[in-house]
Amino acid sequence: MGNLIPITIFLVLSAIPSSSSSISSGKREVIEVGGGPDDLVWVVQLSDLHFSVHHPERAREFREIVGPSLSFINPSLVFLTGDLTDGKSKDLLIMKQDEEEWIEYQKVMQDVVQRSGLDKSAFYDVRGNHDNFGVPVIGGSFDFYSKYSINGQLQRSGTVNSVTIQTSKRKLLFVGFDSTMSSGLRGPTNLFGHPTDELLAEINSELSQWDSQPTQSVTKVSFGHFPLSFSAASKSGKALQDIFIKHSLDAYLCGHLHTKFGKNLKRHHHSSHHASYSKQLFQLNGHWTPSGNASSCSKDATSIGAFWEWEMGDWRKSRAMRILAIDGGHISFVDINFKLGAKETIILPTFPLDSRFISASSPNYKCGSTDPSSHEFIRALVFSASPIVSVLAKIYDSSPGNLVLVLETQMTKLAGSHGNLYVAPWNIQAFEDPSPDRFLLQVEVSDIMGRSTATELRPFSVSGISAKVPWSWKEFFVMGCQWDSLYYPILWCFYLLVLAILLIPKALLSFSRRQYTYKNFKANKSLINGLSWIFTELYNVPVAWCCVVAYLFYLVLCPWFYGQVFTEGRERAYMTYRGWVSSFNNSGRLEFLGSPDVMVVVLPHLLFVVLPAIMTIMVLAAESGMHRDYLLSHSSKKKDDYDGQDKESASADSFISGTSETILCRRWLRKLLLAVSFAISWKHFKNCVALMKAYEMNPMIHFPFYSCAIPLVLAYTIWRTGKNVNNITNK
């Protein structure tokens, strides 16, 4: 740590292309990095801090751990990618801005900047959806981000800000952006990023600012809060993915999802058809799957537009930090977990690259596209609060079925290295293999205090072949699905299926003269007879059927509820399946806010309340028919027994049908359905309570149909199906 990075920061108005004049609100900066090594830079990312008045330990531990850690990591830049404050009540149901949390954030960041020894301008904090809960106007009285954030204090008022790090061999361009709603709704219907066409144009301009000066290579990295799976398309249908692919972005850094969905929240975006890429609904795996000769030195190997998206986890619970290094234009990173306290030593291998996160542009030493000297050494950054005694590089071969140590070599600090870069010579050709995960690298460090720290075993491929790391179902759910594109297909598929089930059999049975009963179904069992009998019983409860159909049309044609969507002071808005409506646009049409964010209310209600309620109503009606037929047949049988059967025959018949009689007589299925009806109503009640608190609503005034329809229809069906059977019993 004896050699600090000499940094000169200045505005680049005279150094950037003339197109910069079109950017009115953002800032462009350039940082020149001196010292050795010539072509190595590292930055730090933190995300989802969620400083909360109800959880003071988050801010306290951030102050105690992050400041001292940054002091010995000594990064060129620090990115905080959103959700700086929590904005939630203690019961997590009310979501709006709390100025006390922002004051705490400002104080903590001032202390962190001071302890780190870094210049304040090296910190970039972007807005997340929690920082936008209930903010009606950017720059208004409830926009505490603009007042207390570092970006706000440094007058980085634009939605896009860029900074370029200039090394002796290349430019490293970092573009950060704010894609939160222009009018921030309260949660939970504030979940997606909403890049506008104007924002996409600004990002496009920032990413192309060095394209007119091709004398040096440019490595491009973007950072924001929302994963691309939770970023909506603009009004014109454009998406962030298309902009990133167009400009050959190397990596996009984001947060938002936390680690509760998994630790492998990484996705490699790739497309050879730029125009149609953003229309994809799914990506089944997160890794790069090369096609044909993609790992060769042909032009086709690098012609595919591709970039990595790396979600990093959260500080809120995981206490996570990421160090990302760009060594010779190639990116590597390490995610650190501070849950057990501060780390005294942190290790980041920069070559060979981790084969799980390489891309089509990753180095193949045979191609000659990179400096040959960069392949001659194993390279690793070592950050430590104490002097280092030894650094060992170990390579294991996993092909025999167990790990075999094939190389152990001492690493030495590179002369003039300002960042404690350690290198060790090796024979790269000895580790060429078609398998991307046969060889594993581990770096082990010992400090003067006798402490030993080792990295995880990292697979590598010197041929640039990508290892396959499959997603879990939860990771696929949040990273592999393009939710803004999936919302309406899921919604209309639900309606098509449910209305078809409710209406088509009604039309068909109205033309049929056959009687479908449980008794007839037992005599002639088939799928058609069974379904016809069930629907016949449903239509025998016409009020319930009509109410369900009417409710489904109500949810499409009418407002769901009427609530307070901003922190304070503005009129209420009403929510439909298309979003919230609070005003008309300039052309006199309704302006919908929060689409597709409202899907977090719409889809759970339809799939976990309405659909189970419909199925329960159908089974209640069918069970009632079963019991009715049982009572009728039982009473008829009794009469026949008294008219002529002997006692021995009656006893035998009773024994044979005893089990079915017990089930039908005691109505265990009905009791189960009553429990299911209660569970559905309880689930719906909890949802209503959450919405009532979130948007300050009275269920009887602001959403009576939404809150009461399902429980009332279930209650009516239970009463009606019980009454039908009671009438037969009384007769």
Side-chain angles (χ1 to χ4, degrees):
M1 293 302 297
N3 296 324
L4 295 177
I5 308 176
I7 300 178
T8 305
I9 302 178
F10 57 91
L11 295 176
V12 355
L13 295 177
S14 60
I16 59 177
S18 59
S19 61
S20 63
S21 60
S22 64
I23 307 299
S24 60
S25 56
K27 273 194 174 184
R28 290 177 176 177
E29 296 176 309
V30 167
I31 299 176
E32 289 190 344
V33 178
D38 291 338
D39 200 13
L40 172 62
V41 169
W42 59 96
V43 299
V44 162
Q45 180 192 3
L46 293 141
S47 192
D48 296 85
L49 281 54
H50 288 271
F51 287 176
S52 170
V53 294
H54 308 293
H55 298 277
E57 72 280 359
R58 297 174 189 169
R60 182 181 66 250
E61 293 177 15
F62 191 90
R63 176 189 283 112
E64 294 172 352
I65 294 174
V66 174
S69 297
L70 291 177
S71 68
F72 67 79
I73 296 172
N74 198 18
S76 297
L77 298 169
V78 179
F79 303 133
L80 296 99
T81 51
D83 283 359
L84 312 175
T85 63
D86 198 40
K88 284 188 175 183
S89 60
K90 192 171 184 179
D91 61 6
L92 307 181
L93 298 179
I94 301 174
M95 307 178 203
K96 59 182 181 179
Q97 297 304 292
D98 188 330
E99 189 170 13
E100 186 178 344
E101 293 177 347
W102 281 103
I103 293 172
E104 178 72 4
Y105 172 77
Q106 183 187 44
K107 291 179 180 178
V108 169
M109 290 310 302
Q110 288 174 346
D111 189 71
V112 166
V113 170
Q114 184 177 2
R115 290 191 183 192
S116 69
L118 302 174
D119 193 281
K120 189 174 183 178
S121 61
F123 290 77
Y124 286 77
D125 50 1
V126 300
R127 193 193 311 254
N129 59 311
H130 281 248
D131 310 318
N132 198 36
F133 281 158
V135 179
V137 180
I138 301 300
S141 58
F142 293 104
D143 181 17
F144 300 128
Y145 168 87
S146 296
K147 182 177 181 181
Y148 295 106
S149 69
I150 291 177
N151 275 8
Q153 294 169 42
L154 296 180
Q155 302 302 311
R156 297 170 183 154
S157 58
T159 54
V160 182
N161 291 282
S162 71
V163 56
T164 301
I165 297 181
Q166 177 70 65
T167 71
S168 60
K169 294 185 178 180
R170 74 183 64 250
K171 291 180 173 66
L172 310 176
L173 173 62
F174 298 90
V175 177
F177 60 89
D178 171 12
S179 61
T180 57
M181 296 180 183
S182 57
S183 295
L185 303 175
R186 292 190 186 189
T189 55
N190 185 341
L191 184 66
F192 281 73
H194 291 264
T196 62
D197 287 310
E198 293 76 17
L199 176 67
L200 294 177
E202 288 190 38
I203 295 173
N204 181 74
S205 177
E206 292 299 311
L207 288 174
S208 62
Q209 63 181 272
W210 299 111
D211 291 355
S212 62
Q213 302 180 17
T215 55
Q216 281 188 324
S217 298
V218 181
T219 299
K220 299 177 181 180
V221 177
S222 186
F223 59 96
H225 179 65
F226 299 95
L228 299 180
S229 55
F230 283 85
S231 294
S234 67
K235 288 185 178 180
S236 66
K238 297 179 181 178
L240 286 165
Q241 297 96 303
D242 301 317
I243 301 296
F244 292 161
I245 284 179
K246 173 185 174 183
H247 290 284
S248 301
L249 192 78
D250 290 272
Y252 171 57
L253 311 178
C254 61
H256 189 54
L257 293 178
H258 304 196
T259 55
K260 63 182 178 181
F261 293 104
K263 295 184 178 180
N264 185 32
L265 300 179
K266 285 92 177 174
R267 178 178 177 182
H268 192 268
H269 298 260
H270 49 87
S271 175
S272 56
H273 306 285
H274 298 176
S276 62
Y277 174 70
S278 63
K279 306 302 181 183
Q280 295 178 2
L281 299 180
F282 301 101
Q283 182 172 313
L284 297 179
N285 57 68
H287 54 265
W288 170 49
T289 305
S291 59
N293 217 19
S295 61
S296 71
C297 300
S298 65
K299 292 183 179 180
D300 292 338
T302 56
S303 62
I304 299 175
F307 66 94
W308 270 105
E309 176 185 5
W310 291 322
E311 204 273 358
M312 73 149 293
D314 61 284
W315 179 266
R316 177 178 178 264
K317 285 189 176 180
S318 302
R319 302 296 191 264
M321 173 192 284
R322 171 176 292 161
I323 304 176
L324 182 139
I326 304 175
D327 188 1
H330 302 294
I331 303 176
S332 54
F333 66 90
V334 61
D335 289 339
I336 308 139
N337 186 327
F338 288 111
K339 290 180 73 173
L340 299 179
K343 306 290 184 183
E344 299 296 328
T345 302
I346 301 170
I347 310 164
L348 172 53
T350 64
F351 190 82
L353 295 175
D354 191 328
S355 60
R356 295 170 295 182
F357 307 120
I358 61 176
S359 62
S361 62
S362 296
N364 185 335
Y365 75 98
K366 290 184 177 181
C367 296
S369 58
T370 57
D371 184 359
S373 63
S374 65
H375 302 143
E376 297 173 358
F377 297 91
I378 300 171
R379 298 159 66 90
L381 281 166
V382 179
F383 309 104
S384 180
S386 302
I388 300 300
V389 174
S390 71
V391 180
L392 283 175
K394 299 179 181 181
I395 295 180
Y396 295 88
D397 186 352
S398 64
S399 62
N402 57 334
L403 297 180
V404 177
L405 182 64
V406 295
L407 175 66
E408 182 175 1
T409 181
Q410 189 75 32
M411 302 184 74
T412 57
K413 184 177 179 180
L414 189 67
S417 170
H418 59 250
N420 289 352
L421 176 66
Y422 286 77
V423 299
W426 71 329
N427 179 11
I428 189 172
Q429 296 180 357
F431 299 98
E432 183 178 355
D433 192 86
S435 171
D437 51 12
R438 173 183 174 180
F439 295 108
L440 306 170
L441 172 66
Q442 185 178 54
V443 178
E444 186 176 310
V445 175
S446 299
D447 65 14
I448 199 170
M449 304 297 292
R451 293 179 294 240
S452 180
T453 305
T455 65
E456 66 171 348
L457 292 169
R458 290 186 168 213
F460 67 87
S461 170
V462 299
S463 301
I465 304 173
S466 172
K468 298 181 179 180
V469 184
W471 277 326
S472 68
W473 72 267
K474 290 195 295 184
E475 291 165 344
F476 165 74
F477 185 78
V478 295
M479 289 294 289
C481 300
Q482 198 62 37
W483 284 106
D484 71 305
S485 300
L486 284 170
Y487 171 45
Y488 284 114
I490 293 173
L491 176 69
W492 297 127
C493 283
F494 170 87
Y495 264 86
L496 180 64
L497 174 64
V498 173
L499 289 177
I501 290 174
L502 293 175
L503 299 178
I504 293 177
K506 177 71 171 176
L508 295 176
L509 290 173
S510 65
F511 294 102
S512 176
R513 295 182 179 181
R514 291 185 59 185
Q515 294 294 322
Y516 293 97
T517 64
Y518 177 63
K519 183 178 180 180
N520 294 338
F521 170 67
K522 286 180 65 179
N524 185 16
K525 291 183 179 179
S526 69
L527 179 62
I528 298 298
N529 284 341
L531 292 175
S532 299
W533 157 61
I534 291 174
F535 285 114
T536 298
E537 297 295 348
L538 173 63
Y539 303 142
N540 287 335
V541 192
V543 173
W545 176 80
C546 289
C547 286
V548 168
V549 173
Y551 185 65
L552 288 171
F553 281 103
Y554 167 82
L555 293 178
V556 171
L557 300 175
C558 303
W560 288 36
F561 37 77
Y562 192 64
Q564 176 63 260
V565 293
F566 299 109
T567 299
E568 286 179 18
R570 286 185 60 167
E571 67 278 1
R572 290 178 174 270
Y574 61 85
M575 197 202 89
T576 72
Y577 76 95
R578 297 177 61 188
W580 289 90
V581 178
S582 62
S583 61
F584 292 87
N585 59 23
N586 295 333
S587 60
R589 296 183 178 181
L590 294 177
E591 184 174 1
F592 292 94
L593 301 175
S595 179
D597 307 69
V598 293
M599 69 184 292
V600 300
V601 173
V602 173
L603 294 185
H605 181 64
L606 294 177
L607 297 177
F608 303 123
V609 176
V610 176
L611 182 60
I614 293 173
M615 301 304 294
T616 302
I617 290 169
M618 293 174 65
V619 181
L620 276 169
E623 190 277 339
S624 176
M626 290 170 59
H627 195 67
R628 181 190 63 240
D629 286 359
Y630 162 77
L631 291 177
L632 291 173
S633 63
H634 191 68
S635 61
S636 175
K637 180 182 175 184
K638 279 187 175 182
K639 182 178 180 181
D640 291 342
D641 287 344
Y642 284 115
D643 285 344
Q645 285 190 353
D646 57 49
K647 294 182 179 180
E648 183 177 348
S649 176
S651 176
D653 290 343
S654 177
F655 176 78
I656 293 172
S657 60
T659 302
S660 60
E661 285 188 7
T662 300
I663 295 173
L664 290 170
C665 182
R666 297 187 179 181
R667 308 193 73 178
W668 293 113
L669 179 57
R670 181 175 175 83
K671 293 175 181 178
L672 175 62
L673 292 172
L674 294 180
V676 171
S677 299
F678 176 79
I680 294 170
S681 298
W682 179 250
K683 168 70 175 174
H684 183 56
F685 171 76
K686 290 177 65 178
N687 291 345
C688 290
V689 170
L691 292 170
M692 180 180 66
K693 290 188 175 182
Y695 300 112
E696 299 181 16
M697 297 185 294
N698 184 315
M700 295 297 104
I701 298 175
H702 299 118
F703 57 118
F705 293 103
Y706 174 88
S707 61
C708 298
I710 292 297
L712 288 178
V713 174
L714 283 171
Y716 171 80
T717 305
I718 292 169
W719 170 77
R720 187 64 189 175
T721 54
K723 183 181 179 182
N724 290 342
V725 174
N726 290 336
N727 290 340
I728 294 173
T729 304
N730 293 334
K731 291 179 182 180

